[in-house]
Structures are given as C-alpha cells and as structure tokens.
Amino acid sequence: MPRIINTKEIVSVIAELAKKACYELDDNFMDALRSAYQKEESPYGKDTLQLLIDNGEYAKKEQIACCHDTGTCVVIMEIGQEVSWTGIPLFDAVNEGVRKGYDEGYLRKSMVRDPLNRVNTGDNTPAVFHSEIVSGDKVTITVMPKGGGSENMGAFTTLVPAEGAAGVKNFVLKTVEQAGGKTCPPVIVGIGIGGTMDWCSWIAKKALLKPIGHRNPDPYYAKMETELLEQINNMGIGPLGMGGRVTALDVHIEYYPCHITALPVVVNLQCHASRHAAAEL
Ligand code: SF4
C-alpha cells in the first residue's frame, strides 16, 4: 500500500527550509569557524574569521540572510519508493515553495530566465532540482541555496586514467589556487570522481552536504581528503583571501564507478555561507 502525499504539502516545507538555510548556518559549520579562529595565525585572517562568526550569529539572532547572495536554490529530495504523489506536478510544487520562501523571507532573487538574455525571473525560480529514489515511505527534503561566487569557480575535467590520484590532486589544487579569494573562503571543497560528466558534478555537489570533520569511509579516499586539506591550507589564501592558514574548512570526496577510458573529476566549492536545511516528511 503506497503512502500518498499531496505535492501541496511540500510547498510550505520548502519555503521554511529556504528561509532557515539563508538565516542560520548550522552548528557544525559555526563550530568549524570558531575552531578555525583558534588555528589561524595571520592577524588579518583572524579578524576576518571573527567577522564571519559575528555575521553568522547576528543573522541567526535577527533572522536575516547571512549573505546578500541567497543563491540558486538547489532542492534535493530523497523519495521513498513506497510514496505515491497526488496534486500538482512535483517540480511545480518545488518551485512554488521556493517562490514563497524567497518572497516571505526577503531573500534576493538571483535567477535569470535565459542565460544570454538575462531577464530576472523575479522570484528566484526555477530551482535546481535533484531527486533520488530510496527505500521506504519517507521523503527527505534538503534546500541548499548556492551562492554565485563560489559556484562560478568550480571546475570539471576528464583526466586520462593513467594520471590517477596525482592527476586528481593536481587538478583540485590548481582549481582552488586559481579561485583564490573569489570563493569567499574559508571554503568546503566538494570533489566528485568518476561516473559521467553529469553524475560527477552531482556527487561533487552532494559532497558539500557532508558535515565538517566527516571522513570518507574508504581509508584511501579519507587519506586523500586530509592530504588535500593540508595542502590547500598551506597555500596562504586565507579567510576571504586576506592571507592566512585557513583557506578550507574541509575537503569531501565522493566517488563512483566509471568507464574504462575515463577519469572525470569535478571540484565544487562552497563558500563560507554554507547553507542547507533539511526536513523529513
Ligand atoms: S560566494 Fe558565498 S559568501 Fe561570497 S557573496 Fe556569494 S554567497 Fe555570499
């Protein structure tokens, strides 16, 4: 017997999650900023981190956006395979939720209807919507507003498989170095390795949702994460590019099987406005 959910039910859930995500950086992220402050050696870097901590605390207290760029609204749904939908089409309901949240929350509308003619849609729709079918009869909704500055500095490549782990690391380090302060560091570095072009981008995005401090369960990739984190923090870019030891708060790798001829790699960078909020239906 499927569990029947009317798509209208998700509208207000998504609206509230959009506001919460933009107003409240989660405890995991705020704690990481506070420990970065303790670690930072550069006076400019330390001052900058203190400003970011104050900003995050103030936004939460006053329930206002922690950054003016409230981003492209990425909505991710894990849908139990026993769920059956009624009502308006699911993607329409997602967009209705985004429209409502961005309107009620006084969040900046940043989406243009057409990438070349650039007319603002006026309500921050459409969302970028990902769905995954999972077991059970629950639905988990994650709303992840993604700022333009950090998203713009991500990169994709397809390496020759023989380039291996060294090639992947070089590509990641080059991408972070070229981005410099434009990503509003400290960043979280999401890395996708494998799959196809599209899947590799998706898993790199998903990697950004992992809590800071979480290590890949595979020791090989966990080691690569910690090595890259150390190398990135030795670059000297520092908080907001002001110089210092803390350029990244963490590095997360997601990998997936791929074709024998291919080694796709995507780097997706998340700025210090690391916003996401989730709810279960
Ligand atoms: S990159 Fe992030 S912190 Fe910087 S302006 Fe954009 S959303 Fe804000």
Side-chain angles (χ1 to χ4, degrees):
M1 183 78 173
R3 177 182 172 209
I4 296 169
I5 304 177
N6 192 306
T7 50
K8 276 278 176 195
E9 282 185 44
I10 70 167
V11 171
S12 54
V13 175
I14 289 177
E16 289 309 310
L17 290 175
K19 287 185 268 181
K20 183 168 193 244
C22 288
Y23 298 164
E24 299 179 18
L25 298 170
D26 69 14
D27 291 344
N28 171 259
F29 187 81
M30 289 301 293
D31 288 346
L33 277 185
R34 290 183 190 105
S35 52
Y37 176 85
Q38 300 301 331
K39 271 186 236 152
E40 182 54 81
E41 294 163 8
S42 137
Y44 285 136
K46 232 174 162 55
D47 286 353
T48 305
L49 284 168
Q50 187 59 57
L51 286 171
L52 299 183
I53 293 164
D54 293 346
N55 179 66
E57 288 172 349
Y58 191 75
K60 183 175 180 181
K61 180 164 157 276
E62 297 296 327
Q63 294 287 282
I64 54 173
C66 67
C67 178
H68 67 107
D69 179 1
T70 48
T72 298
C73 196
V74 179
V75 176
I76 300 161
M77 287 176 65
E78 289 178 5
I79 303 170
Q81 63 184 3
E82 287 157 42
V83 169
S84 178
W85 297 99
T86 59
I88 62 172
L90 187 59
F91 187 50
D92 291 355
V94 167
N95 283 326
E96 207 173 314
V98 171
R99 190 176 296 118
K100 182 174 160 65
Y102 275 69
D103 178 46
E104 290 174 355
Y106 300 101
L107 305 175
R108 195 182 84 182
K109 286 79 179 172
S110 308
M111 295 299 284
V112 292
R113 190 173 309 284
D114 165 335
L116 295 182
N117 293 315
R118 316 218 48 100
V119 177
N120 197 300
T121 63
D123 59 8
N124 219 53
T125 68
V128 168
F129 179 46
H130 300 275
S131 62
E132 288 192 324
I133 304 299
V134 296
S135 59
D137 65 355
K138 302 273 190 290
V139 176
T140 304
I141 306 174
T142 302
V143 174
M144 180 190 195
K146 187 68 170 64
S150 55
E151 188 71 6
N152 291 346
M153 302 313 291
F156 167 80
T157 191
T158 302
L159 300 173
V160 173
E163 291 179 83
V168 171
K169 282 180 171 175
N170 284 340
F171 179 66
V172 172
L173 294 173
K174 194 173 80 184
T175 302
V176 174
E177 191 165 32
Q178 282 176 349
K182 290 182 191 159
T183 50
C184 298
V187 292
I188 301 169
V189 182
I191 303 167
I193 308 174
T196 50
M197 282 177 75
D198 52 330
W199 197 259
C200 195
S201 296
W202 161 231
I203 61 178
K205 179 76 79 205
K206 266 208 303 194
L208 296 176
L209 291 171
K210 297 201 177 306
I212 292 165
H214 174 277
R215 290 279 62 84
N216 194 298
D218 181 327
Y220 178 83
Y221 287 97
K223 183 164 173 277
M224 194 184 285
E225 289 172 340
T226 50
E227 286 169 357
L228 280 168
L229 181 61
E230 189 181 342
Q231 287 171 291
I232 289 167
N233 283 334
N234 283 337
M235 285 177 181
I237 297 166
L240 290 182
M242 302 293 280
R245 305 292 294 176
V246 184
T247 301
L249 296 174
D250 214 343
V251 174
H252 297 303
I253 297 173
E254 285 271 335
Y255 66 93
Y256 195 80
C258 64
H259 192 273
I260 49 172
T261 63
L263 179 48
V265 186
V266 168
V267 180
N268 195 188
L269 298 167
Q270 172 62 65
C271 60
H272 73 262
S274 174
R275 295 160 291 191
H276 46 88
E280 188 181 88
L281 287 182

